[in-house]
Amino acid sequence: MIMNDHTQIDEHRDDEGAKTGMWIFIFTELLLFGGLFIVYSVYRYLNPMAFHMAAEELDIFIGTANTVILLVSSMTIAMAITSIQLKRKRLTLILMGITVLLALLFLVNKYFEWTGKISHGIFPGSEILHQSSQGEILFFGLYYAMTGLHALHIIVGVTFIGYVMWLVKTDDVKYDDYVILENSALYWHLVDLIWIFLFPLFYLIT
Amino acid sequence: MTETMKQAPTPSFLEYQGRFKGIFAWIFSTDHKRIGLLYLYSMLVFFSIAATLGLMMKLELIAPGRTIMGAQTYNSFFTLHGITMIFLIVVPGLPAVFGNFFLPIMIGAKDVAFPKLNLFSWWIYIAGAFIALSSQFLGDGAPDTGWTFYAPYSFRTGTNMLPAVTGAFVLGFSSIVTGLNFIVTIHRLRAPGMKWMKMPLFPWALYGTAWIQVLATPIVGITLLMVVLERTLQIGFFDPSLGGDPILYQHLFWIYSHPAVYIMILPAMGVISEIIPTFARKTIFGYTAIVVSTLAIAFVGYFVWGHHMFTSGMSGVALYTFSILTFLVAIPSAIKIFNWVATLHKASIDLQTPFLWAFCFLFVFMIGGLSGMVLGALSANVHLHDTAFVVAHFHYIVFGGTGFAFFGALHYWFPKMFGRMYDKSWANIGLAIFFTGFNTLYLPMFYLGITGMPRRYYDYVERFHGPNIVSSMGAMLMITGLIIVITNLVRSARHGAKAEKDPWKGKTLEWTVDSPPSLENFEEIPIVTQDPYDYE
């Protein structure tokens, strides 16, 4: 069989297998967030008015900015793959660097957004939130949990991409062996994709 | 391939000297066989803890009133017993031990697709186990919620819930990683000529299981994470005072935990499908039907979680739907039973120990399965919910099904794993005592449940006394049998007679390699031309 001949050449290298593994891991991530999306939809259905009111508290500008940032970063990491195929190492590193910078920019925005909310006294267990309706408590609980978990994924993704940048620099990843770069990009697209769902759910549907 | 053509004979994986020495040669080994044994040894330790707890609970129930422990201790005992048995033993059990050891060999590969990830999953497992068990010693008392961590009690109780829930969360990752590894291994590393429908049935079962592990575990992961966040940060998810809905917790929990039941039983069915043709010296009856029913169980198993919640409050339509689906999911399991029995029809059966375990499996699994049908019926369920009947049912499935298959697998593959034979007569005596004890322990609990004895109470009224005595005696008998079985195996691993390559005359690929196998399993990757159970 072709696939097996492939795996025998030079110590178990199997790019197709590595990518399959990454895709399956992405399924698990989607289901992880899926649990939170179920909770969100159930509570939104039960408290439509409160969710509407609470969503208006969020800053659409920051949300939109972050969406654009992530979409562009997804583009740059995809371009990095093309450029490594073209054997252009420097360009690859620059594109990956831009991706990392955009991700950090996203986190900075997130930081200001969260601290803004917290300074207004809106955080789980706060006095102000306890006086609001139950729907609003749920909304903000979900807001912090879901965007927080997403931010955690951004941090993991950036670390992953940073590690691959180092591998590119040391020529461990090059034009004929770049599956780990593809996998880091796949992961990054997942992080982007989840945000594409979070953004309308929290910021746009009011 | 050339690097394996070294001097003969190749040392076995047990003797192979790698980069590390002593215990490090094991805990840092990426060899799938050593990892399988690491899991086996860890599980043996956890199993003896959890079994002891179970025995103590049965001793408490030998008489009404306080016998050897109070209510709070009893509550934490059944919680720890459940957490350990479910999350540390039966869920990872067969895939982690025998899957790791035999999946690559049975499909003709040298290792799993991601060996390092495989070792990593064992480390996560150990980390999760320590976190979960630490809940017993740290903080304000051992958890007392039961293994299901039902909201809102799980974040209202003052006991030390956090480590228990976090531990279960971490263990989920170990499960996901193993599943992921197996799926890729089966897709990518089958030997030349081993088409999907020429794959032995244990790898098939592992394949179905792996998909459940990958697709269901994240849901419980996020649910447990929500409980953690609720307890630490007071984020309202399930707390009614914060607007949350505790019933939603139950849904999310069972969306994972019902498929998890099939994580436990599918590999067990795979083991039985290996043992039966070997000792019947016959091709398995209806190979395709078994494969299809494996996948059907894995699929339909996702849609029956509601039957754990018939009394929690659901709409009529939901009740009927879940009940019907529950009955449907029994069909593929029954198909397998018929296949196994049909394989035995007119066979010249070799009554060896592994076969006897498989035979006992059929017996207890049928009792467990049929009592599950009783619980799946709506009207009966309202009466039996949360009684000892449920406890008897799932012990017949989880312990009777997975447990018997686990020991069957251990006796079947023991010669291959350790290169030695065990004492067959002691093994059979141990099994006989274990089997008698098992039924003496759990059969009376069906009766107790029907007559109204609730589960999870350390005390009961006088009229339940008789059956409880019988049941507790059964527990002691069963533990005796267990001790005989395990002692015999531990002793034989060192002192048993040397085993041949193929002591049972099996036909699958693991019987073509040395006992114990060499580090690389195969000198040369085999080319498969025959069906897996080709006895004609």
Side-chain angles (χ1 to χ4, degrees):
Chain A
M1 265 184 173
I2 315 148
M3 56 172 76
N4 214 272
D5 290 339
H6 187 63
T7 56
Q8 291 309 311
I9 307 164
D10 115 73
E11 51 181 60
H12 286 303
R13 183 175 153 196
D14 181 9
D15 291 356
E16 200 60 36
K19 261 191 276 182
T20 314
M22 193 64 201
W23 273 108
I24 295 170
F25 181 68
I26 285 175
F27 291 166
T28 70
E29 289 278 18
L30 286 176
L31 281 152
L32 190 80
F33 276 93
L36 283 165
F37 282 123
I38 291 176
V39 174
Y40 175 92
S41 37
V42 169
Y43 290 152
R44 179 168 196 108
Y45 174 75
L46 293 175
N47 312 282
M49 268 322 280
F51 269 54
H52 170 79
M53 305 281 280
E56 290 192 335
E57 300 266 325
L58 296 183
D59 190 337
I60 296 186
F61 178 73
I62 295 188
T64 316
N66 267 348
T67 311
V68 174
I69 288 170
L70 275 193
L71 283 174
V72 173
S73 73
S74 242
M75 182 183 75
T76 51
I77 194 80
M79 286 162 75
I81 296 177
T82 316
S83 67
I84 202 150
Q85 287 167 334
L86 299 171
K87 305 186 192 179
R88 292 175 66 181
K89 180 176 161 185
R90 222 181 104 74
L91 182 63
T92 311
L93 284 172
I94 291 173
L95 285 165
M96 291 177 81
I98 295 175
T99 312
V100 171
L101 285 178
L102 288 171
L104 295 177
L105 190 61
F106 177 94
L107 289 175
V108 170
N109 274 344
K110 191 97 264 172
Y111 171 79
F112 282 119
E113 198 185 3
W114 273 35
T115 43
K117 285 278 159 307
I118 292 170
S119 69
H120 284 99
I122 301 175
F123 57 89
S126 74
E127 275 307 307
I128 292 181
L129 209 54
H130 263 295
Q131 288 151 15
S132 336
S133 71
Q134 292 188 330
E136 280 171 284
I137 300 179
L138 288 172
F139 181 88
F140 282 106
L142 283 165
Y143 165 75
Y144 279 107
M146 292 173 85
T147 56
L149 190 65
H150 179 258
L152 201 65
H153 279 75
I154 296 262
I155 294 168
V156 172
V158 160
T159 319
F160 191 7
I161 293 174
Y163 169 67
V164 178
M165 272 179 84
W166 184 64
L167 291 180
V168 173
K169 204 170 152 48
T170 56
D171 278 332
D172 286 315
V173 167
K174 31 184 212 302
Y175 68 95
D176 61 349
D177 184 6
Y178 54 87
V179 68
I180 189 166
L181 173 58
E182 278 192 292
N183 275 346
S184 70
L186 273 176
Y187 188 82
W188 194 250
H189 295 322
L190 163 83
V191 173
D192 188 19
L193 179 76
I194 291 170
W195 180 257
I196 297 293
F197 281 92
L198 290 180
F199 174 57
L201 286 181
F202 283 106
Y203 296 82
L204 294 186
I205 314 176
T206 53
Chain B
M1 250 182 273
T2 40
E3 78 271 2
T4 53
M5 303 223 185
K6 283 177 296 201
Q7 73 285 20
T10 6
S12 81
F13 79 100
L14 291 170
E15 297 153 348
Y16 176 80
Q17 200 45 263
R19 240 176 346 132
F20 303 101
K21 286 210 164 66
I23 190 170
F24 297 109
W26 285 81
I27 60 173
F28 294 135
S29 169
T30 53
D31 178 13
H32 66 101
K33 300 179 286 296
R34 287 200 170 188
I35 295 171
L37 290 183
L38 282 177
Y39 270 112
L40 178 66
Y41 300 144
S42 342
M43 274 174 207
L44 196 64
V45 173
F46 299 133
F47 180 72
S48 34
I49 297 173
T52 313
L53 291 173
L55 181 66
M56 307 264 270
M57 287 192 284
K58 276 284 132 188
L59 289 180
E60 166 58 35
L61 290 176
I62 204 165
R66 186 193 162 105
T67 318
I68 57 168
M69 63 181 91
Q72 188 60 31
T73 317
Y74 188 82
N75 291 351
S76 53
F77 270 33
F78 70 66
T79 304
L80 187 63
H81 172 81
I83 294 174
T84 316
M85 284 293 192
I86 297 286
F87 292 114
L88 290 176
I89 297 154
V90 277
V91 168
L94 285 158
V97 178
F98 299 104
N100 263 326
F101 201 111
F102 286 105
L103 171 66
I105 307 184
M106 290 178 91
I107 62 172
K110 292 186 174 180
D111 207 322
V112 291
F114 309 115
K116 283 181 200 155
L117 207 57
N118 203 15
L119 177 63
F120 182 58
S121 84
W122 181 76
W123 278 99
I124 308 178
Y125 171 80
I126 291 297
F130 274 100
I131 298 173
L133 293 177
S134 70
S135 65
Q136 299 301 304
F137 311 107
L138 307 173
D140 322 308
D144 55 353
T145 57
W147 74 278
T148 52
F149 311 121
Y150 266 17
Y153 186 61
S154 56
F155 46 82
R156 295 240 174 106
T157 171
T159 55
N160 200 15
M161 285 311 299
L162 220 47
V165 178
T166 317
F169 175 72
V170 172
L171 286 167
F173 277 99
S174 166
S175 192
I176 290 175
V177 171
T178 305
L180 188 156
N181 215 338
F182 284 2
I183 295 177
V184 178
T185 306
I186 292 173
H187 272 277
R188 304 291 304 164
L189 297 182
R190 276 171 294 131
M194 182 169 282
K195 302 204 174 67
W196 281 97
M197 295 312 267
K198 280 192 175 171
M199 199 160 68
L201 289 162
F202 184 56
W204 259 117
L206 290 171
Y207 186 70
T209 311
W211 274 111
I212 310 179
Q213 284 176 312
V214 163
L215 295 183
T217 320
I219 306 278
V220 80
I222 196 69
T223 311
L224 296 178
L225 195 65
M226 283 188 246
V227 174
V228 170
L229 292 176
E230 184 134 20
R231 265 185 89 92
T232 50
L233 301 175
Q234 294 170 287
I235 298 182
F237 287 116
F238 307 118
D239 189 344
S241 67
L242 296 174
D245 183 358
I247 303 289
L248 188 59
Y249 173 85
Q250 294 188 20
H251 277 291
L252 287 170
F253 182 81
W254 289 114
I255 286 177
Y256 161 74
S257 296
H258 195 77
V261 173
Y262 300 105
I263 296 181
M264 305 170 197
I265 201 66
L266 276 180
M269 291 167 158
V271 167
I272 302 303
S273 308
E274 294 296 332
I275 295 178
I276 285 191
T278 300
F279 293 95
R281 306 270 183 271
K282 251 178 89 183
T283 314
I284 190 124
F285 180 86
Y287 172 91
T288 320
I290 294 188
V291 170
V292 172
S293 61
T294 299
L295 299 177
I297 291 174
F299 181 71
V300 183
Y302 277 104
F303 306 105
V304 299
W305 78 86
H307 68 216
H308 295 268
M309 304 165 54
F310 281 160
T311 58
S312 302
M314 264 194 283
S315 72
V317 181
L319 288 176
Y320 298 138
T321 317
F322 280 123
S323 182
I324 288 171
L325 287 168
T326 306
F327 281 103
L328 279 183
V329 81
I331 295 173
S333 306
I335 289 176
K336 291 189 185 217
I337 298 265
F338 287 125
N339 279 310
W340 294 323
V341 175
T343 308
L344 296 177
H345 180 63
K346 286 192 176 169
S348 51
I349 299 167
D350 189 8
L351 282 178
Q352 299 282 2
T353 315
F355 180 79
L356 295 173
W357 278 99
F359 204 65
C360 294
F361 168 93
L362 290 184
F363 182 80
V364 291
F365 182 69
M366 290 227 288
I367 296 181
L370 292 172
S371 60
M373 294 294 87
V374 176
L375 289 168
L378 288 171
S379 49
N381 186 282
V382 173
H383 182 64
L384 294 171
H385 190 86
D386 260 349
T387 65
F389 190 93
V390 179
V391 182
H393 157 68
F394 71 70
H395 278 87
Y396 261 96
I397 291 286
V398 174
F399 196 10
T402 315
F404 274 73
F406 191 93
F407 283 109
L410 202 53
H411 284 90
Y412 181 53
W413 282 315
F414 186 91
K416 185 57 62 189
M417 295 165 90
F418 297 95
R420 292 185 184 271
M421 287 303 293
Y422 45 85
D423 186 315
K424 287 178 191 169
S425 45
W426 273 113
N428 291 347
I429 293 169
L431 166 61
I433 298 175
F434 179 81
F435 180 71
T436 318
F438 181 90
N439 287 299
T440 322
L441 164 56
Y442 295 115
L443 270 180
M445 292 176 78
F446 283 123
Y447 174 75
L448 284 167
I450 290 173
T451 48
M453 180 168 154
R455 65 192 280 205
R456 294 184 166 171
Y457 279 71
Y458 83 115
D459 191 10
Y460 51 81
V461 292
E462 184 55 38
R463 70 189 162 96
F464 297 131
H465 196 182
N468 265 309
I469 295 179
V470 178
S471 175
S472 298
M473 304 291 269
M476 288 182 242
L477 197 61
M478 188 181 82
I479 295 287
T480 315
L482 211 52
I483 291 171
I484 296 176
V485 167
I486 292 173
T487 317
N488 180 35
L489 289 179
V490 171
R491 226 192 122 271
S492 308
R494 284 181 171 275
H495 307 292
K498 287 255 185 265
E500 315 149 37
K501 257 189 182 178
D502 188 4
W504 315 121
K505 305 198 173 50
K507 292 282 180 186
T508 34
L509 281 178
E510 79 270 30
W511 303 113
T512 63
V513 300
D514 293 336
S515 303
S518 64
L519 179 73
E520 302 250 282
N521 302 338
F522 300 96
E523 297 277 313
E524 233 172 286
I525 294 294
I527 294 167
V528 181
T529 48
Q530 288 173 321
D531 287 331
Y533 310 102
D534 199 3
Y535 281 95
E536 266 72 59

